[in-house]
């Protein structure tokens, strides 16, 4: 029923989460994403690789055209997934660093080579988020200071990424995070919407239709 609702909402893309793997990788690709009345949107896992390789086991990104611009969504899942689901169900895949995977694909989508995909705007969808050891209501600075995967997402995700959606930790926040390496004080939105459909996260990007640069945003 969750997939039915997301299909009805005309969802375009989603990162997989650990719960998509509760019944194993084969169930994900053959039933959840498989043929028939299943997910009609792209389920992404750029940091999921065939066991012992760097060969992607799932689609890494999807492209949707919005107002004449190509919007690329890169999806990744928490690297802790093997500890959150039955290990036997995911024994054929490895889970790499989600930030490294996001940055690799972001570079690919902006390298000027149409053969491997190009995007004017890039959104990172991480099934990973703030919260390790920090209380609800913590500030962005406190979450970064706590370290861990979320701090790396905020401080090391490529500047080519224009907006960051997070999940997994069931927190609610909409932060303006400094863009790594930017010398002009630019920020980008980092957002998570709690859990169980309690909220909807909304990011609006105002983008130059000539350069693809984000001119402003709300989140």
């Amino acid at each position: 029923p969750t997939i039915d609702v997301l299909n009805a909402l005309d969802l375009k893309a989603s990162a997989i989460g650990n719960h998509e793997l509760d019944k194993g990788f084969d169930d994900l690709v053959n039933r959840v994403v498989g043929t028939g009345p299943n997910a009609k949107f792209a389920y992404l896992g750029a940091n999921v690789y065939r066991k012992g390789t760097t060969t992607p086991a799932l689609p890494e990104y999807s492209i949707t055209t919005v107002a004449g611009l190509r919007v690329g969504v890169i999806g990744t899942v928490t690297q802790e997934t093997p500890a959150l689901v039955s290990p036997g169900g995911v024994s054929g895949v490895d889970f790499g660093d989600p930030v490294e995977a996001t940055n690799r694909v972001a570079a690919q989508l902006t390298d000027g080579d149409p053969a491997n995909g190009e995007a004017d705007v890039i959104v990172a969808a991480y099934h990973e988020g703030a919260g390790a050891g920090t209380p609800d209501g913590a500030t962005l600075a406190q979450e970064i200071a706590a370290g861990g995967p979320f701090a790396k997402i905020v401080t090391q995700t490529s500047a080519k990424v224009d907006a960051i959606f997070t999940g997994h930790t069931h927190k609610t926040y909409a932060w303006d995070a400094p863009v790594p390496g930017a010398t002009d004080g630019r920020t980008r939105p980092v957002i998570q919407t709690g859990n169980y459909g309690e909220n909807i996260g909304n990011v609006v990007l105002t983008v130059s239709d000539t350069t693809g640069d984000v001119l402003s945003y709300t989140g």
Side-chain angles (χ1 to χ4, degrees):
T2 304
I3 293 174
D4 292 340
V5 169
L6 295 175
N7 285 340
L9 289 171
D10 198 24
L11 182 67
K12 298 300 183 187
S14 174
I16 67 163
N18 50 286
H19 285 300
E20 272 77 12
L21 294 164
D22 281 344
K23 293 187 177 182
F25 182 79
D26 289 344
D27 178 72
L28 169 65
V29 297
N30 294 322
R31 181 181 65 87
V32 177
V33 185
T35 59
N38 303 302
K40 294 179 172 62
F41 49 90
Y43 251 135
L44 309 173
N47 66 324
V48 183
Y49 306 103
R50 298 291 178 186
K51 190 73 175 179
T53 75
T54 56
T55 302
L58 292 168
E60 299 176 292
Y61 67 91
S62 71
I63 303 288
T64 301
T65 300
V66 181
L69 294 174
R70 291 169 59 82
V71 179
V73 178
I74 304 169
T76 55
V77 63
T78 175
Q79 200 167 3
E80 297 178 353
T81 296
L84 302 173
V85 301
S86 175
V90 293
S91 61
V93 292
D94 293 327
F95 296 85
D97 185 294
V99 173
E100 292 177 3
T102 297
N103 291 351
R104 172 178 52 77
V105 179
Q108 172 188 324
L109 295 178
T110 55
D111 66 0
D113 181 4
N116 63 13
E118 287 294 293
D120 302 300
V121 176
I122 297 179
V123 176
Y126 285 102
H127 191 81
E128 181 63 272
T134 56
D136 289 334
T139 65
L140 175 61
Q142 289 171 324
E143 296 282 6
I144 292 173
F150 180 73
K152 186 170 183 178
I153 287 171
V154 174
T155 62
Q156 297 185 35
T157 295
S158 169
K160 298 177 186 297
V161 172
D162 300 302
I164 297 174
F165 285 80
T166 63
H168 186 55
T169 57
H170 295 200
K171 284 197 169 186
T172 305
Y173 48 80
W175 284 319
D176 302 309
V179 175
T183 58
D184 57 2
R186 284 186 299 128
T187 62
R188 61 187 171 191
V190 177
I191 196 166
Q192 187 179 183
T193 58
N195 50 246
Y196 307 126
E198 291 174 341
N199 304 287
I200 295 174
N202 187 43
V203 170
V204 178
L205 304 176
T206 301
V207 181
S208 167
D209 56 8
T210 55
T211 67
D213 293 337
V214 173
L215 305 176
S216 65
Y217 70 86
T218 61

